[in-house]
Amino acid sequence: MKQYWNEVQPIDAFTVAMNGILHQYDNKIITLLYQPLIGPICLTLYNTLLYMVEEGKSLSEEWNHYHLMNAFDLNLEEIYHARLKLEGIGLLKTFIQTNNESRSFIYELQPPLSAEQFFTDGMLNIYLYQKLGQTHFIKLKKSFTNKKLDLNEFSEVTRSFQDVFTSLGVNTLTQSEGHIASIPEHGEEYNHRQKPNSITIDGNDFDFDLLLVGLSEFMIPRKLFTPAIKDAIAKLAFLYSINAVDMKKIVLQSLTPDQKINVDDLRKNARDWYQMENESRLPQLVDRIQPVIHRENDTKIETKEDKLVSYLETVSPRQLLIDLSDGGEPAKSDLQAVEDIMFQQKLHPGVTNVLIHYVMLKTDMKLSKNYLEKIASHWSRKKIKTVKSAMDLAKSEHRQYQEWAITKKDSTQRRNKPIRTEKLPDWFVSQEDSNQKEVQLQTEDLEEKRRRLEAIQRKYQKNGGEKGGEN
């Protein structure tokens, strides 16, 4: 993964292009529907790029990124991340040209989905519903709807063109010249309203082959899996984290009596499955694993720490808890605690993984919510974004975190019970502090959980090099 400064520099030039005409109504859609999902910085970046293009034009003058930094009073990293969010949600396309040592970009603004497309998208509307809540969501939906015009008791009497106008004839020469004169000059095109592109999930992460193996041709003919159906399945699999085995049941439930797969039923059944698995909660718009832009382990993986970093960057917090439980489903209270600190403290999944790894070793292999929140709040204030920086901070602040973990009960237990020692994880032991490899634990019934944690770590130290190449 390349750091942002390898992707864009302040001196790099850029030009803004318009992919179609945007209307005032589009601004309402972006502000009220898109902004809750992407945030105000992204909205400001979109509008700023928009206003750089003169009204009636489709291309702006050339600027450099220093201008954006000064206009926003933000650093380039924040602007870059906002740009990526606009790209991901379909509001921006980016093109680059490199000449010798200079680079120039074209930022092509895309029109938003219509309100109807957004509210029937099947993914964006679910994220928005979860973000806003039912009351606000329904009120917002009503602001984009109107009462249908009832024409049942009316008859149309509109006249056609030929009913109103009469042609006096046009000679051949004038007709030919008129057609030629109407053609845009070379390299130009008429201003137009571009059809917005829906959000698409490429489906590379979903195993369609396994799905089809579980569904015989007799059960469901392959011709029913049209591009539209496959796109819906890929989107639902991403939205609700559904694997191929569970998706097979959902597809079968969505089969109509006339042997067709109904997309609406597919969505409803997928949502019902998710809520049954997750106590009626709906999914939120979060990165399931560490975002690529915040991964650092892109070099050759050589050390044990490199391998562990690669593992923590490419696994979700939920999967980490499963691995630490030897394949068992995490407790709902643990998942809720992790979810709360991720959203309240805005921690990335990889950083959350480091926190889980550290806290479980410090609190008898249990996730103490108060301890999690205290450290998470500290990391949030420090603006920790990467796995490596979280590890480094845990090392440097270890003594402070130990003090936070000590309670009167711990002290009493420590006086009354024999003490034994246990190694810290390899990533925690700094080079200068390599001789300090043991911390005190209090009860011997943790031995099995400790071995499980070390086994998981050894597993990914062995295979981490393979995971590190994934995006």
Side-chain angles (χ1 to χ4, degrees):
M1 136 53 191
K2 295 181 180 179
Q3 297 291 353
Y4 78 91
W5 56 78
N6 292 323
E7 299 289 331
V8 62
Q9 291 286 337
I11 195 63
D12 290 340
F14 72 90
T15 303
V16 183
M18 301 290 295
N19 186 15
I21 298 173
L22 295 179
H23 304 300
Q24 184 64 31
Y25 193 69
D26 295 321
N27 188 51
K28 178 181 178 181
I29 291 173
I30 294 173
T31 302
L32 297 181
L33 303 184
Y34 283 82
Q35 183 181 206
L37 303 181
I38 61 179
I41 294 179
C42 294
L43 176 66
T44 303
L45 176 59
Y46 186 93
N47 286 334
T48 301
L49 295 176
L50 173 63
Y51 296 139
M52 285 181 171
V53 183
E54 291 184 21
E55 187 173 354
K57 301 292 184 181
S58 61
L59 207 62
S60 75
E61 297 181 4
E62 186 174 86
W63 303 80
N64 62 43
H65 288 79
Y66 276 120
H67 176 79
L68 290 179
M69 295 168 66
N70 292 331
F72 291 142
D73 193 25
L74 296 174
N75 61 48
L76 189 56
E77 180 180 11
E78 292 172 301
I79 295 173
Y80 173 67
H81 292 164
R83 189 196 96 187
L84 295 187
K85 285 187 178 181
L86 289 176
E87 292 172 1
I89 208 160
L91 293 177
L92 183 70
K93 288 185 179 180
T94 301
F95 305 89
I96 185 173
Q97 181 183 63
T98 303
N99 293 320
N100 297 326
E101 296 183 357
S102 66
R103 286 182 300 199
S104 60
F105 293 84
I106 292 179
Y107 293 141
E108 186 181 65
L109 296 177
Q110 307 297 313
L113 298 175
S114 67
E116 181 180 6
Q117 288 173 317
F118 192 100
F119 281 105
T120 59
D121 177 71
M123 185 170 68
L124 294 180
N125 55 323
I126 301 299
Y127 288 140
L128 186 64
Y129 181 93
Q130 178 65 16
K131 182 75 174 180
L132 301 180
Q134 183 181 30
T135 302
H136 189 178
F137 182 86
I138 292 176
K139 185 176 182 179
L140 189 61
K141 181 188 68 175
K142 288 184 177 180
S143 72
F144 286 95
T145 58
N146 289 301
K147 186 176 180 180
K148 292 182 66 175
L149 186 63
D150 186 3
L151 297 176
N152 290 332
E153 297 181 2
F154 292 80
S155 300
E156 185 175 3
V157 294
T158 308
R159 302 295 194 274
S160 66
F161 181 86
Q162 60 268 30
D163 289 336
V164 179
F165 300 99
T166 301
S167 176
L168 297 178
V170 181
N171 64 59
T172 305
L173 181 60
T174 303
Q175 183 178 3
S176 176
E177 290 176 345
H179 282 305
I180 294 174
S182 300
I183 299 174
E185 299 294 331
H186 179 69
E188 295 181 351
E189 63 179 359
Y190 284 113
N191 293 334
H192 59 286
R193 171 65 176 178
Q194 182 68 25
K195 182 180 179 181
N197 295 317
S198 299
I199 301 296
T200 58
I201 302 297
D202 57 26
N204 292 336
D205 293 332
F206 183 77
D207 194 340
F208 275 101
D209 291 336
L210 181 58
L211 172 65
L212 295 177
V213 166
L215 295 169
S216 67
E217 178 75 24
F218 176 76
M219 295 170 63
I220 298 184
R222 296 295 180 263
K223 66 180 181 179
L224 297 185
F225 291 94
T226 62
I229 294 296
K230 295 185 72 173
D231 178 68
I233 290 174
K235 187 178 290 187
L236 291 168
F238 173 85
L239 175 64
Y240 296 116
S241 298
I242 306 174
N243 60 36
V245 175
D246 291 323
M247 184 60 77
K248 180 188 75 171
K249 304 172 187 175
I250 294 170
V251 170
L252 286 173
Q253 291 174 346
S254 308
L255 196 63
T256 63
D258 56 348
Q259 291 295 296
K260 292 183 180 179
I261 300 175
N262 186 287
V263 173
D264 291 335
D265 289 344
L266 202 62
R267 291 176 177 176
K268 179 182 181 301
N269 293 329
R271 183 176 65 251
D272 291 345
W273 174 89
Y274 182 90
Q275 292 184 309
M276 185 176 296
E277 294 288 322
N278 294 274
E279 298 182 344
S280 299
R281 287 183 298 160
L282 288 173
Q284 302 203 36
L285 184 58
V286 296
D287 295 303
R288 294 173 298 171
I289 60 176
Q290 183 74 354
V292 175
I293 59 175
H294 290 301
R295 296 186 200 175
E296 296 180 314
N297 215 34
D298 60 336
T299 58
K300 184 177 180 181
I301 297 177
E302 297 176 343
T303 67
K304 290 182 178 180
E305 182 172 320
D306 291 338
K307 294 174 182 177
L308 185 58
V309 169
S310 176
Y311 165 58
L312 296 176
E313 287 181 336
T314 54
V315 69
S316 68
R318 179 175 179 273
Q319 185 59 48
L320 175 63
L321 290 173
I322 291 174
D323 290 347
L324 294 177
S325 301
D326 199 24
E329 188 67 25
K332 298 294 184 183
S333 58
D334 288 349
L335 288 175
Q336 186 63 52
V338 171
E339 181 179 325
D340 288 346
I341 65 105
M342 282 183 69
F343 291 109
Q344 292 172 7
Q345 305 299 336
K346 309 297 184 185
L347 294 186
H348 290 306
V351 176
T352 303
N353 287 338
V354 179
L355 181 61
I356 293 170
H357 199 242
Y358 178 81
V359 168
M360 290 191 77
L361 283 173
K362 298 299 297 175
T363 55
D364 299 348
M365 293 301 292
K366 298 176 183 177
L367 281 181
S368 168
K369 186 175 181 180
N370 290 338
Y371 194 37
L372 272 173
E373 290 177 343
K374 195 155 191 176
I375 299 178
S377 177
H378 184 227
W379 289 8
S380 179
R381 291 194 301 270
K382 290 282 188 178
K383 300 188 184 301
I384 300 301
K385 303 292 186 184
T386 67
V387 168
K388 191 68 170 63
S389 59
M391 288 180 171
D392 291 341
L393 186 60
K395 294 175 187 177
S396 64
E397 300 289 340
H398 177 49
R399 291 186 183 275
Q400 177 65 63
Y401 297 163
Q402 277 186 312
E403 292 179 7
W404 291 347
I406 294 174
T407 64
K408 185 175 181 179
K409 180 179 178 181
D410 291 333
S411 300
T412 302
Q413 290 178 334
R414 196 173 292 113
R415 287 194 301 269
N416 295 335
K417 293 189 176 182
I419 297 172
R420 68 176 187 81
T421 59
E422 178 182 345
K423 290 194 303 181
L424 283 166
D426 291 337
W427 65 262
F428 191 85
V429 183
S430 62
Q431 186 172 359
E432 312 88 56
D433 200 26
S434 60
N435 62 330
Q436 188 179 356
K437 295 184 178 179
E438 298 185 339
V439 292
Q440 295 181 342
L441 287 179
Q442 306 156 19
T443 55
E444 295 183 358
D445 61 344
L446 301 177
E447 184 63 34
E448 179 60 31
K449 289 184 177 180
R450 182 189 64 80
R451 284 200 298 266
R452 186 180 301 146
L453 177 62
E454 291 181 345
I456 292 298
Q457 184 170 326
R458 285 197 303 273
K459 171 185 174 182
Y460 285 96
Q461 286 171 351
K462 179 179 178 182
N463 301 323
E466 299 171 1
K467 283 180 171 289
E470 297 178 359
N471 289 330

